[in-house]
Amino acid sequence: MTTLDTTTPAQTPAKRSSLIWISRYGTLVAFLALIAFNMAVTPNFLSWQTLNVNLTQVATIVIVAVGMTLVIATGGIDLSVGSLMAISGALAPMIFLGTIYPIPSPALAVTLAFIVPVVVAGALGWFNGFLITRWSIQPIVATLVLFIAGRGIAQVMTNGNLQVFRNDAFQFIALGRVFGIPTQVIIMAVVVALAAFVIRRTGFGRQIIAVGGNEKAARLSGIPAVRVKRLVYVVSGALAGIAGLVVVARNSASDANLVGLGMELDAIAAVAVGGTLLTGGRAYVLGTLLGACVIQLVRYTLLANGVPDAAALVVKAGLIVAAVFIQQRAERG
């Protein structure tokens, strides 16, 4: 009796090679194609004003997405980053405005406004890691706790009120320029460079990849998987805290209802489009940077050519689906 073979035929070497090439370089090709398209179609695309708008819009996404890259590389996910941005963005004005406690030295107040919110956000990131490693709670569930409660904490801190301020020293983090380059873009570049160095050149970076690739094997080889996973959530939280400071400084106001809203989705999208496997075991920091730039350029291209902003959400979803599909096909032998 003849039986039907229902197994999926293996990919040919040429097909798999092409899928791997697309998964690695497809984001760069898409980025260059978007630039070429806008140069041909969009008026004033090459102006400094256009470049400035796109860079400042993408900076906070990249800062958060770099932390998300490290978390995803360990096989986790962090849904709390938007809420941690709201907490950080709410806390900073409360410090230099003296809402919590009047600080006589303006310089000290601004310094603390930079440091304390980032430390708090990092500590809350550690809490995420603790839930995951100590109680074996799935990352999507553990970080959902602060996704929900974190924004509520920020709203309680501010009584739901908009905090409007003008503080040039604090706002330099977003509105300042160094040699004509926006400060927030410099922060973004430093974060990307440091993360790329850590992943490629340090033992901690290799431990991150090992834990995400096979946690059991990593433990057996002596890698402190618990410490590694907690540290990446601390980094993710701290970077979300920095992004929250940038957002409120740029807006000259802190709104706990809006700061960081939807940022977790933008960050995950940038990571996925950038080529980092959502199942862990890889981390393409430069890919994340390109992924965020592609998403931003898609949105800009649609808006500049009269397409409603809602269409960008549909395109973003399509990019994520395409990226994950290509990753899965490339991983199959």
Side-chain angles (χ1 to χ4, degrees):
M1 180 177 178
T2 303
T3 58
L4 295 176
D5 184 4
T6 58
T7 59
T8 303
Q11 298 173 9
T12 63
K15 184 176 180 181
R16 186 168 186 269
S17 177
S18 63
L19 286 171
I20 291 174
W21 189 93
I22 292 172
S23 68
R24 290 180 179 176
Y25 303 108
T27 308
L28 177 60
V29 172
F31 178 66
L32 295 176
L34 281 167
I35 291 177
F37 176 83
N38 280 286
M39 288 175 63
V41 174
T42 306
N44 302 317
F45 177 71
L46 294 179
S47 67
W48 169 251
Q49 182 179 4
T50 299
L51 178 63
N52 182 68
V53 167
N54 281 293
L55 283 176
T56 53
Q57 287 295 324
V58 83
T60 49
I61 298 175
V62 172
I63 292 170
V64 176
V66 166
M68 188 71 74
T69 301
L70 302 183
V71 168
I72 288 176
T74 64
I77 198 80
D78 191 352
L79 299 181
S80 69
V81 288
S83 296
L84 297 186
M85 286 178 64
I87 291 175
S88 175
L91 185 57
M94 295 176 69
I95 293 173
F96 65 72
L97 291 175
T99 305
I100 300 175
Y101 182 82
I103 301 174
S105 170
L108 177 60
V110 170
T111 301
L112 291 175
F114 283 135
I115 297 174
V116 174
V118 176
V119 171
V120 169
L124 292 173
W126 180 89
F127 173 75
N128 285 331
F130 175 79
L131 291 180
I132 293 165
T133 56
R134 180 66 178 85
W135 304 109
S136 299
I137 301 175
Q138 292 182 345
I140 195 170
V141 176
T143 58
L144 188 63
V145 173
L146 279 176
F147 170 81
I148 298 170
R151 192 165 297 278
I153 291 171
Q155 291 168 339
V156 169
M157 289 167 57
T158 61
N159 292 320
N161 297 324
L162 178 69
Q163 297 184 93
V164 181
F165 56 84
R166 173 69 182 274
N167 188 309
D168 293 339
F170 174 76
Q171 291 181 268
F172 185 81
I173 193 175
L175 303 181
R177 292 179 181 273
V178 179
F179 301 113
I181 303 174
T183 312
Q184 58 189 303
V185 176
I186 295 175
I187 294 171
M188 175 191 75
V190 170
V191 167
V192 169
L194 286 175
F197 176 81
V198 167
I199 289 295
R200 290 179 175 271
R201 302 294 181 183
T202 69
F204 179 60
R206 289 188 288 272
Q207 290 176 348
I208 289 174
I209 302 303
V211 170
N214 189 324
E215 184 173 344
K216 184 177 180 180
R219 290 176 185 273
L220 291 175
S221 65
I223 293 175
V226 169
R227 186 175 67 185
V228 169
K229 293 174 80 171
R230 288 183 183 179
L231 279 176
V232 295
Y233 281 97
V234 170
V235 172
S236 180
L239 290 178
I242 292 172
L245 298 182
V246 172
V247 169
V248 298
R250 185 170 61 212
N251 295 337
S252 302
S254 173
D255 187 346
N257 301 298
L258 297 178
V259 172
L261 190 64
M263 181 60 75
E264 59 283 334
L265 302 181
D266 286 337
I268 294 170
V271 174
V273 174
T276 294
L277 291 176
L278 297 184
T279 52
R282 287 186 189 171
Y284 296 136
V285 176
L286 295 180
T288 295
L289 171 63
L290 276 177
C293 289
V294 166
I295 292 171
Q296 171 58 28
L297 268 181
V298 165
R299 180 173 182 270
Y300 173 82
T301 301
L302 294 175
L303 288 175
N305 291 278
V307 180
D309 192 30
L313 299 176
V314 178
V315 175
K316 186 190 302 182
L319 288 172
I320 297 172
V321 171
V324 173
F325 174 77
I326 292 172
Q327 288 175 10
Q328 289 180 341
R329 292 297 300 274
E331 286 301 304
R332 293 173 186 170

